[in-house]
Amino acid sequence: MLLTLADAAEPCDTLSELHSDAQTVYWLSRCPQTGDMQLWQWRANSNEPPHCVIEEAVGSRVNQYGGGSYTPLLGGVVWVRQHDQAIMQLGCHGTSYCWQQRPQTAYGGLCADPKRQRVLAVEEDAHGQRLVAVTDSDRQVLAEGADFYGAPIISDDGNYLAWVSWSLPYMPWQRSQLHFANIAADGTLQAFESWDFGAAISQPQFGPHNALICMSDHDGWWQPWQVNLASPICLSSAPVDHVTTPWQLGERQHAWRDNRQVYCQLHQGAAQLYRRTGKQVEALLPNPGRVASITLAQHGDYAIVQSATSGAQLIRFNENGSRRYLVGNIVGNANSVGNAHSVDSANSTGSVIAKAPATAQWVEAPVGNEGETVHGFFYSASASPAAPLIVRVHGGPTAATYPIYDPLVAYWQQQGFHVLDINPRGSGNFGRRYRECLAGQWGVSDTEDVIALVNAVCARFAIDTARCFIRGQSAGGFTALNALAATPLFAAATSLYGVTNALTLATQTHRFESGYLGWLIGDDALLAQRSPAYKISLCTRPIQALFIQGGQDAVVVPEQTHAMARHIEQHGGEAQTLLFDNERHGIRHPSARQTMLARELAFYQHF
């Protein structure tokens, strides 16, 4: 069955932020009508279907990328209202009221402190960030002085707190510190300890007996380390990343409870989920893909995952090896569970969503120093083999692409396009060395990587080389436009809220990324020379590009996009601009996404 434009516009990240308490599982689900995240719950082991408990938009704006937008507390939920960043409480009887609201202040990374009937949060305003404790009548500053805070977590007995901090010019995946403290009777922190391994520390968790376990990449990979010992111990020496790049607060891709651990490992850009019980280890996913969030409770082990044959799914993994699908669809001719239904079986059955999954082929090409390669995932067009190619570059640039079902990829395949998803050097999920290949090289190595991998794909597959297109979002837009200017390999590019002038961006962007460009590129002269605005002025070919931009974007401000469009036209090219007044950094509303994708498809079909 052919996908519609509405199908193609469905985002992949429809489920996120998984939590649980003694009776209930909670998660955020994207509303099909508005694109906002709403809070859902399912009463464990009940016959009731999952249901929405907060219909208002739930979401943090800390660091602009948010995360940690709610937490269960004493049978209710404390959550951040997206539009004004107020901290709200949903009580046991279904009514919400405001705990805390401060002008021009955002909250995220929420962590429950049930022993003191309060919530810990990262608070951000014009003066910076701090770690605070909030009740329905009080606010207490627990830690301040660093530029940024994240990942607060309290031990099960309520006696200890751990968190991560970092300061400019570093990003949290470059260098950060882990902190640990006792929580005194009055709620203040005492007996501070800190760890700095000269690398990036992420996702601290408390295991049995208050073992403090974090992910650190000081040995080259994000691996689990128990640190509150005389000598820190690595708990898994597998040479792979065990978590993804920390762009958001509140991420949890490993969890520890009683005698079991649930964790993921990333091999060739795909995540497999494992459960260790005692000395026994089992793989939980039939197909590796992406692990978005994990929670463990007495009533089960839960994860939000995606794979090549499914959109986002919430699954409970039972002790006997079976799986219960709570929310989600399986795509194509495979066993399925319908949306918002659940089945207990190792091989669940149900109605299939009749939309063909896209099969990814791993591709790579040599780049850089001897032994280095760039890699990605290739999806063949459904029609004739000699098809045009759409190359996608992810944002970040330290984010990553995964071999998972993406309705947009499947839609483009059905429209007669091959698709190449690329993970240039600097991408996450391939270890610290691969990520740090981008140090001082953004605008050089990423462009080289795109060209090398596209040439390799054109040599291997039947590609209509006169119709190769490249598109990128945010940092990926920077790479896409630079590649367009660097080679006639591409007929046109689409920049989705992409960086066009790094020098201007350095003075206009938000505080979280204000020191990032110095590490990625260098001084002001290099910022100017590496930017698409400069590269296009040197290009002797007329450039054709489509720009898609949110009018309220605080990361890449709209004027930067408009200036780039004017710049292309002044140099003999053609630039189209599609502006969505009410969107931020990312196009979320379903109708806006449909408009965007229809315009993009028409843009490619023009050639």
Side-chain angles (χ1 to χ4, degrees):
M1 186 176 79
L2 290 178
L3 277 72
T4 66
L5 191 63
D7 294 327
E10 291 182 5
C12 291
D13 58 342
T14 53
L15 305 175
S16 65
E17 295 199 30
L18 185 59
H19 283 284
S20 58
D21 59 21
Q23 291 87 30
T24 308
V25 184
Y26 304 88
W27 65 95
L28 296 183
S29 180
R30 197 170 296 283
C31 174
Q33 287 74 42
T34 65
D36 295 329
M37 300 304 278
Q38 300 172 320
L39 183 64
W40 284 63
Q41 72 172 32
W42 177 68
R43 295 286 182 183
N45 301 317
S46 74
N47 293 321
E48 301 174 9
H51 66 281
C52 181
V53 292
I54 298 176
E55 295 186 356
E56 282 190 87
V58 179
S60 164
R61 289 184 181 158
V62 172
N63 300 330
Q64 294 296 317
Y65 299 106
S69 306
Y70 78 96
T71 185
L73 179 68
L74 301 173
V77 176
V78 177
W79 56 285
V80 179
R81 189 165 58 191
Q82 181 176 285
H83 79 271
D84 61 0
Q85 293 297 281
I87 296 181
M88 309 290 293
Q89 183 186 30
L90 177 70
C92 300
H93 303 292
T95 56
S96 288
Y97 59 95
C98 183
W99 267 23
Q100 179 80 26
Q101 184 177 8
R102 295 166 68 90
Q104 305 300 311
T105 302
Y107 292 94
L110 268 59
C111 170
D113 184 0
K115 187 174 183 178
R116 299 160 191 87
Q117 301 184 34
R118 65 182 187 175
V119 163
L120 310 189
V122 177
E123 180 183 84
E124 179 181 63
D125 57 23
H127 303 291
Q129 289 188 1
R130 59 210 64 87
L131 193 60
V132 299
V134 178
T135 69
D136 59 354
S137 59
D138 188 40
R139 167 186 168 274
Q140 182 181 32
V141 176
L142 298 179
E144 56 186 339
D147 287 335
F148 300 97
Y149 291 86
I153 186 76
I154 292 179
S155 59
D156 286 344
D157 61 13
N159 294 331
Y160 303 100
L161 170 67
W163 70 96
V164 172
S165 73
W166 66 98
S167 291
L168 295 170
Y170 296 114
M171 300 296 283
W173 50 86
Q174 293 171 323
R175 185 167 185 174
S176 56
Q177 295 75 45
L178 176 65
H179 306 275
F180 174 85
N182 296 351
I183 308 178
D186 63 357
T188 59
L189 304 184
Q190 298 177 344
F192 289 82
E193 294 183 57
S194 295
W195 291 267
D196 185 339
F197 297 127
I201 299 176
S202 183
Q203 296 191 29
Q205 296 287 325
F206 282 101
H209 311 296
N210 290 332
L212 179 55
I213 301 159
C214 70
M215 295 290 173
S216 175
D217 70 348
H218 62 276
D219 272 359
W221 308 90
W222 269 309
Q223 297 163 318
W225 289 77
Q226 183 176 346
V227 297
N228 54 344
L229 299 167
S231 298
I233 295 177
C234 185
L235 302 179
S236 173
S237 58
V240 294
D241 281 335
H242 290 63
V243 294
T244 57
T245 311
W247 276 93
Q248 291 187 311
L249 303 175
E251 294 175 313
R252 187 185 297 109
Q253 291 159 318
H254 68 114
W256 311 72
R257 185 181 181 93
D258 301 329
N259 68 333
R260 68 191 191 277
Q261 312 157 21
V262 177
Y263 60 95
C264 70
Q265 293 181 350
L266 289 133
H267 300 267
Q268 284 195 335
Q272 177 55 274
L273 191 63
Y274 297 94
R275 177 166 58 194
R276 181 190 298 274
T277 306
K279 294 184 177 180
Q280 181 181 355
V281 177
E282 58 181 318
L284 296 178
L285 301 178
N287 300 297
R290 178 172 179 260
V291 175
S293 191
I294 296 169
T295 189
L296 307 187
Q298 287 291 101
H299 46 79
D301 302 339
Y302 302 83
I304 293 172
V305 302
Q306 297 165 272
S307 75
T309 56
S310 73
Q313 294 180 309
L314 170 55
I315 305 175
R316 184 174 77 173
F317 300 95
N318 301 317
E319 291 184 3
N320 61 2
S322 67
R323 298 180 295 276
R324 179 166 184 168
Y325 296 83
L326 299 176
V327 177
N329 298 314
I330 290 180
V331 182
N333 297 318
N335 292 323
S336 173
V337 293
N339 195 23
H341 291 281
S342 55
V343 179
D344 270 312
S345 173
N347 296 293
S348 301
T349 58
S351 59
V352 172
I353 306 301
K355 298 168 185 175
T359 302
Q361 300 181 63
W362 172 266
V363 291
E364 59 184 328
V367 291
N369 299 320
E370 185 176 355
E372 292 182 350
T373 62
V374 60
H375 28 74
F377 304 105
F378 180 76
Y379 303 86
S380 296
S382 302
S384 73
L389 174 69
I390 298 175
V391 180
R392 301 202 304 179
V393 186
H394 62 70
T398 55
T401 187
Y402 300 81
I404 58 175
Y405 176 73
D406 184 334
L408 179 56
V409 171
Y411 178 76
W412 277 335
Q413 288 179 292
Q414 292 181 356
Q415 295 295 321
F417 292 89
H418 299 306
V419 180
L420 173 63
D421 274 351
I422 182 171
N423 279 313
R425 283 172 290 174
S427 300
N429 301 345
F430 302 96
R432 187 175 182 92
R433 180 181 176 188
Y434 195 79
R435 208 168 59 247
E436 290 196 328
C437 284
L438 207 57
Q441 295 299 306
W442 196 38
V444 177
S445 67
D446 53 318
T447 303
E448 293 173 351
D449 288 358
V450 165
I451 294 171
L453 195 58
V454 172
N455 280 327
V457 164
C458 287
R460 179 176 170 184
F461 302 99
I463 307 291
D464 181 352
T465 56
R467 292 192 292 160
C468 287
F469 308 101
I470 185 167
R471 56 122 58 187
Q473 52 196 56
S474 191
F478 178 92
T479 302
L481 292 169
N482 273 346
L484 178 66
T487 173
L489 186 59
F490 299 106
T494 298
S495 171
L496 297 96
Y497 37 94
V499 177
T500 59
N501 188 321
L503 183 59
T504 303
L505 181 69
T507 63
Q508 292 179 334
T509 195
H510 59 140
R511 181 170 167 269
F512 176 63
E513 295 182 75
S514 60
Y516 194 23
L517 288 168
W519 181 86
L520 285 169
I521 297 177
D523 60 22
D524 286 359
L526 286 173
L527 290 174
Q529 293 168 15
R530 299 274 184 85
S531 296
Y534 178 77
K535 299 289 183 65
I536 284 173
S537 67
L538 301 179
C539 186
T540 57
R541 296 173 290 108
I543 293 296
Q544 298 197 63
L546 170 64
F547 294 91
I548 297 168
Q549 177 70 42
Q552 298 181 34
D553 194 336
V555 180
V556 177
V557 297
E559 179 49 36
Q560 187 175 142
T561 293
H562 294 313
M564 186 65 192
R566 293 192 298 267
H567 188 69
I568 288 176
E569 292 177 342
Q570 289 166 2
H571 286 82
E574 178 185 345
Q576 302 179 26
T577 302
L578 181 60
L579 178 70
F580 295 98
D581 291 334
N582 296 321
E583 295 285 350
R584 296 179 181 272
H585 195 63
I587 310 304
R588 292 298 187 187
H589 196 280
S591 65
R593 288 180 60 82
Q594 290 185 49
T595 299
M596 171 185 80
L597 296 177
R599 179 74 168 271
E600 186 177 2
L601 179 62
F603 179 65
Y604 299 146
Q605 290 175 333
H606 171 72
F607 291 86

